[in-house]
Amino acid sequence: MITYQRRPEELSLVAKRQLENSPIISVVGINTGDEGKGRTVTDTVKLLSKLRNVPNPVHMVFKVNGGSNSGHTVDGLKHNLVPGGIKDPNIKFLALGRGVVADPRKLLWEITVLKDILEKDGVQVDRRIKIDNRCMVSDLSDRLLDLAGELSLQKKEGTSRGSTGRGIAPAFEHEANHSQIFFETLIDDPELFATQLTKRMEEAGLRIRDIYQLTEREWYQLFEKLTQAETKAHLEPIRDGVLSEDEFNFKRFATSRPFELNHQALIAEYFQTGQYFKKDLIDVGELALEIIAHGHQIIAEHGQSYGLDKRHGLTPFSSTSSHTYTPEVWQSLDIPSQITAYIQGVCKAYDTKVGNHIFLTQIEEEHPLRSILEQVEFGTSTGRQRMVGWSDLVEKGHTLRRGGYDDLIINKLDMLTASGDWQGPLKACVAYEDTEGHKYYSVPSNNKIRAVLKPVYVEMDVWKEDISGIREFEKLPQAAKDYIVFSYSQIVTIAETKGNILPSGWPTLRFVGVGPDSDQIISDIPAPHILMAMADQLKERMFP
């Protein structure tokens, strides 16, 4: 292997200057979610503080897209709607942009829990939360439609979309048909809000009865299901007296007449909740422009990942109904696209998916590594078991070619360490192959094609040493270094398979995560050209 003289942080001068000087840092997932985007916010803030030698270079973290279907665990705190970084008092604003749909009740529950945890330590929560006046309201009727649609699909076709049941797709339908309710309406125009919400409730009941064709019994079961799910999700704050169990009694919004909601109770509940956010309602785009004008930075946290984009993703499999990649930053903020963004693409050292997917690299059921990974792979939002698979370097390389990113971040390398019955070898997918032996180095958009493809794997040695306490690349076991080098080089090589020259050059491998805590990262990774040279020698050893 090539040896090198380690420079501080091993950042190329160009990449370092770009990161320091970019007004916006866009943190995006490059697979189908759950890559650790939230913890990357913390890592990036710390790095920027060090590079710029100031305690608070980042003045705002804002959520770009999605809703409470996305979940992050950041600094030990569970988030759905609130952006990461809330534990850092130097981050002045945590904002929801115009690309977000938010249930005000769900948002208030989350803030209440975070306040109880953080304000004991003197960390202010309330007035740092900012909501764009055109952030969209989702409500109970959206959740009922979501659940009813899934149930109808199961009854008629024996399948489902794999929705989280948080009402996200129905909420974005309002945007497409010009019937969205904005937070500014909820808070400042009670008459219009009541009219709009009433129309939604009436239409939802008719749709569930006539189109989804649920029975009366199934209608009332929807409320029971929501009550059980939210009560279970909030058991700890209920036990501690932070939230009342009555908050999660959705059955009180049903009436004795099936397919009808209690309009008066719902309108009053939402309007009252909305008043809590009256002081937090602003034009987030104007705030962003002011922050940038004063030389401070913004981190754009994406709720979902490239593979779930409603236009470019792997629809209909758990598409999030949002635009999930960096261009949505400018749309969600409503600011000029001439303002540049530095893009950080986040992935895992292996792959996971939730919902229903054609998961080409899924690890077979009896494999010992699968049981190890499944112990930690549960959705933050729903608690659903994630499917686990070998690292799909084709998917990651495809996203680099089509979506682009300046940095690559690989999380959870430590989870691949040999343990118990799991002693290797590691596998990494470097191509797909069809029934006629034709190889693919990008992700086909046609699901019929994808369904018959098989992954082409390269096998690599696994390491037995505990790497969770290692903070320097050179101190990693050789097998771990080889896995990082090979993964990086294949992502770049696959991205350039068709002769493309990456417009931003090879991405910097910024961090490798070796544990869940914010300090469990390795950041002295060799520069891109060194990694590629190391990969050439590694391949000579692997394929003599």
Side-chain angles (χ1 to χ4, degrees):
M1 295 292 288
I2 289 178
T3 58
Y4 65 96
Q5 190 65 36
R6 183 163 62 115
R7 302 188 299 271
E9 299 295 319
E10 280 294 347
L11 303 179
S12 72
L13 186 59
V14 172
K16 178 179 175 181
R17 284 178 177 166
Q18 285 177 336
L19 182 59
E20 281 183 88
N21 296 323
S22 288
I24 298 171
I25 293 91
S26 175
V27 179
V28 296
I30 65 175
N31 290 102
T32 53
D34 310 312
E35 300 95 346
K37 298 181 293 296
R39 68 87 53 90
T40 301
V41 171
T42 302
D43 299 337
T44 301
V45 169
K46 288 180 178 178
L47 177 59
L48 288 167
S49 297
K50 185 175 182 179
L51 292 177
R52 297 185 62 177
N53 196 29
V54 292
N56 57 338
V58 176
H59 275 216
M60 181 169 76
V61 180
F62 94 100
K63 184 165 178 135
V64 177
N65 65 321
S68 56
N69 57 332
S70 66
H72 304 308
T73 301
V74 189
D75 297 324
L77 302 174
K78 291 184 178 180
H79 296 250
N80 287 125
L81 285 161
V82 176
I86 196 167
K87 205 169 185 177
D88 184 349
N90 289 316
I91 299 174
K92 294 185 176 182
F93 306 107
L94 300 126
L96 306 186
R98 297 184 178 189
V100 175
V101 291
D103 186 319
R105 299 178 71 228
K106 188 87 175 160
L107 179 58
L108 182 55
W109 297 336
E110 185 175 342
I111 290 171
T112 303
V113 173
L114 290 171
K115 279 178 63 178
D116 180 67
I117 295 169
L118 294 175
E119 292 190 352
K120 295 171 184 175
D121 298 324
V123 178
Q124 180 67 28
V125 172
D126 255 347
R127 301 287 75 98
R128 294 164 66 204
I129 306 291
K130 299 298 173 188
I131 304 170
D132 192 272
N133 48 25
R134 287 207 156 202
C135 179
M136 292 173 285
V137 174
S138 64
D139 66 273
L140 174 59
S141 66
D142 295 322
R143 298 193 70 173
L144 294 171
L145 281 167
D146 203 350
L147 292 173
E150 289 288 277
L151 180 57
S152 176
L153 216 68
Q154 288 167 2
K155 288 168 63 177
K156 293 176 181 177
E157 300 180 19
T159 185
S160 70
R161 294 173 295 119
S163 169
T164 60
R166 296 287 171 83
I168 306 305
F172 276 107
E173 283 182 33
H174 301 308
E175 182 183 34
N177 65 25
H178 312 294
S179 62
Q180 65 266 60
I181 301 174
F182 297 123
F183 262 76
E184 63 184 1
T185 304
L186 163 68
I187 292 169
D188 294 329
D189 195 337
E191 249 181 73
L192 178 58
F193 172 70
T195 300
Q196 290 178 322
L197 187 59
T198 297
K199 184 180 179 183
R200 274 193 191 183
M201 290 187 282
E202 290 173 346
E203 290 177 350
L206 292 173
R207 184 170 166 185
I208 291 170
R209 184 191 69 189
D210 298 336
I211 297 177
Y212 293 145
Q213 298 182 331
L214 265 60
T215 65
E216 292 183 10
R217 181 170 175 268
E218 288 167 337
W219 163 257
Y220 288 111
Q221 285 176 337
L222 298 178
F223 296 88
E224 182 66 39
K225 185 172 184 177
L226 283 173
T227 298
Q228 290 177 357
E230 288 294 353
T231 302
K232 181 180 178 182
H234 293 89
L235 280 178
E236 193 171 331
I238 291 171
R239 182 198 65 202
D240 296 341
V242 178
L243 292 170
S244 166
E245 189 170 356
D246 291 340
E247 285 278 350
F248 311 108
N249 178 15
F250 288 84
K251 292 176 281 188
R252 62 194 167 104
F253 297 118
T255 71
S256 59
R257 291 183 291 275
F259 309 106
E260 182 180 289
L261 287 159
N262 187 332
H263 295 188
Q264 188 175 356
L266 261 177
I267 291 167
E269 181 84 12
Y270 275 100
F271 184 73
Q272 181 181 352
T273 304
Q275 297 314 295
Y276 180 88
F277 299 108
K278 193 172 184 70
K279 292 182 180 178
D280 305 322
L281 195 69
I282 64 168
D283 185 328
V284 173
E286 286 295 333
L287 175 61
L289 292 172
E290 183 180 342
I291 289 170
I292 292 166
H294 284 85
H296 306 300
Q297 292 173 293
I298 296 167
I299 292 182
E301 180 190 86
H302 293 249
Q304 285 83 28
S305 302
Y306 183 85
L308 299 181
D309 187 274
K310 65 182 177 183
R311 183 173 295 149
H312 308 298
L314 305 175
T315 54
F317 302 104
S318 289
S319 174
T320 184
S321 306
S322 290
H323 288 304
T324 61
Y325 226 68
T326 297
E328 184 67 5
V329 170
W330 294 279
Q331 290 287 338
S332 189
L333 282 176
D334 187 25
I335 61 173
S337 57
Q338 289 92 336
I339 295 174
T340 58
Y342 189 92
I343 307 169
Q344 295 189 317
V346 189
C347 66
K348 288 177 181 171
Y350 51 95
D351 280 340
T352 60
K353 299 187 191 299
V354 292
N356 294 321
H357 282 276
I358 299 170
F359 193 177
L360 296 178
T361 65
Q362 185 172 13
I363 299 173
E364 56 270 26
E365 189 171 353
E366 66 278 6
H367 197 285
L369 180 59
R370 175 166 168 166
S371 61
I372 292 171
L373 297 178
E374 284 183 340
Q375 291 176 32
V376 299
E377 290 297 344
F378 291 91
T380 303
S381 289
T382 61
R384 289 186 299 178
Q385 177 73 65
R386 295 172 183 145
M387 300 180 286
V388 297
W390 303 107
S391 184
D392 188 338
L393 301 178
V394 178
E395 206 171 81
K396 295 174 171 73
H398 175 89
T399 308
L400 173 57
R401 177 165 66 248
R402 304 302 293 271
Y405 37 91
D406 301 294
D407 280 354
L408 174 63
I409 293 160
I410 301 176
N411 281 317
K412 293 196 173 183
L413 182 70
D414 55 301
M415 290 304 302
L416 298 180
T417 303
S419 173
D421 293 336
W422 159 240
Q423 295 296 317
L426 283 166
K427 293 182 181 180
C429 174
V430 296
Y432 307 142
E433 190 173 68
D434 65 18
T435 53
E436 297 178 355
H438 177 72
K439 286 190 169 58
Y440 291 74
Y441 296 96
S442 61
V443 180
S445 59
N446 188 319
N447 289 324
K448 287 186 177 180
I449 295 175
R450 291 180 61 243
V452 300
L453 297 178
K454 300 296 181 185
V456 178
Y457 288 120
V458 166
E459 294 189 352
M460 302 186 70
D461 293 336
V462 72
W463 55 94
K464 299 182 179 181
E465 301 91 333
D466 179 9
I467 63 172
S468 61
I470 295 175
R471 299 294 179 269
E472 296 178 29
F473 181 79
E474 272 303 309
K475 292 184 179 179
L476 285 170
Q478 188 62 51
K481 288 191 285 188
D482 288 348
Y483 188 76
I484 292 170
V485 167
F486 183 80
S487 298
Y488 176 86
S489 67
Q490 281 300 297
I491 291 170
V492 170
T493 301
I494 288 167
E496 295 184 334
T497 295
K498 296 183 178 180
N500 298 22
I501 301 299
L502 296 173
S504 298
W506 295 335
T508 298
L509 183 50
R510 185 68 62 189
F511 301 118
V512 173
V514 291
D517 295 337
S518 60
D519 67 332
Q520 288 182 291
I521 60 172
I522 296 172
S523 59
D524 67 331
I525 312 294
H529 69 283
I530 297 177
L531 286 172
M532 296 301 280
M534 294 169 76
D536 287 341
Q537 291 201 1
L538 172 61
K539 289 168 188 174
E540 287 178 9
R541 284 197 286 116
M542 291 174 64
F543 313 111

